[in-house]
Amino acid sequence: MEKTFVMVKPDGVQRNLIGDILSRFEKKGFKLVHAELKQVSKELAEEHYGEHKEKPFFGELVSFITSGPVFAMVLEGENVIATSRKMMGVTNPQEAAPGTIRGDFGLTVGKNVIHGSDSEESAEREIGLFVGDKPLVEYKKDD
Ligand code: CMP
C-alpha cells in the first residue's frame, strides 16, 4: 500500500493544530502507521531540504524547521501521496484554497504549517530520513 511522509511544522505544533490536522487525514480514510514528536537537527534539516540548498531562503528554512518540535508521521492508503498534498493545498497559504490545510491554517509561505512528500521517490527518501528502520504499525484489514 502507498505510503507518504507528512510533518506538521513547528508553527503548527506551537499553535496546537496537530489534532485538527491529523483528524482530517484520519477522516479521509488514511491510516497513521508511524508518528513522532521530534526535534529536527540542523543536519537532518539540511539533508531533508537538500534540493533547496541554493535557494535564497534555505537558511531561513533550516532555522525555522529546527526552531521547535515537528510532528512527523507516515500515512498509508490508496493514492495517499497525491491526495494528502491536495488536502494540504499549494505551498503558499495565501494562494491555497479554503478547505485545504494551508488555506485554512496558514498565512505565509515560510510558516506554511505542513510538509508532505511530492512523489514516491521523495516519500521513500523522507521516510528513510525521519523514520529509518523503526517498524511501522499494521492495521487489521478493513471489513
Ligand atoms: P515545503 O513543502 O516544506 O518544502 C519547501 C519549503 O520551502 C516550502 O514548504 C516552504 O515552506 C518553503 N519556502 C518556499 N518558498 C519560500 C520563500 N520564498 N521563503 C521562505 N520559505 C519558502
Side-chain angles (χ1 to χ4, degrees):
M1 185 58 80
E2 189 171 290
K3 293 179 185 53
T4 194
F5 175 72
V6 171
M7 125 174 107
V8 180
K9 296 185 179 182
D11 55 333
V13 174
Q14 185 65 30
R15 291 171 54 209
N16 305 321
L17 293 174
I18 294 173
D20 281 335
I21 291 172
L22 179 55
S23 173
R24 292 184 180 212
F25 293 124
E26 288 188 298
K27 286 175 183 162
K28 182 71 178 168
F30 294 132
K31 295 294 190 198
L32 182 66
V33 295
H34 174 85
E36 191 178 349
L37 265 174
K38 190 179 176 87
Q39 176 63 52
V40 177
S41 66
K42 189 164 181 274
E43 292 68 33
L44 176 57
E46 287 178 348
E47 179 83 38
H48 172 67
Y49 281 130
E51 66 179 290
H52 300 294
K53 205 153 60 191
E54 306 306 326
K55 307 258 174 73
F57 56 84
F58 183 67
E60 197 185 313
L61 188 55
V62 169
S63 101
F64 168 60
I65 211 70
T66 57
S67 66
V70 301
F71 186 69
M73 56 188 135
V74 178
L75 295 173
E76 185 180 85
E78 204 172 306
N79 211 20
V80 66
I81 298 172
T83 304
S84 61
R85 279 178 63 89
K86 246 184 235 167
M87 292 169 70
M88 289 174 213
V90 296
T91 305
N92 185 347
Q94 295 191 13
E95 286 157 18
T100 64
I101 293 166
R102 288 168 175 151
D104 289 349
F105 300 134
L107 262 186
T108 64
V109 72
K111 294 183 177 173
N112 65 351
V113 185
I114 193 161
H115 165 86
S117 309
D118 61 5
S119 64
E120 268 181 52
E121 297 71 49
S122 324
E124 196 175 318
R125 190 179 84 88
E126 292 171 2
I127 292 169
L129 274 176
F130 279 79
V131 182
D133 51 15
K134 286 175 211 151
L136 304 177
V137 300
E138 285 185 23
Y139 285 75
K140 280 187 270 183
K141 278 204 167 24
D142 287 338
D143 293 326

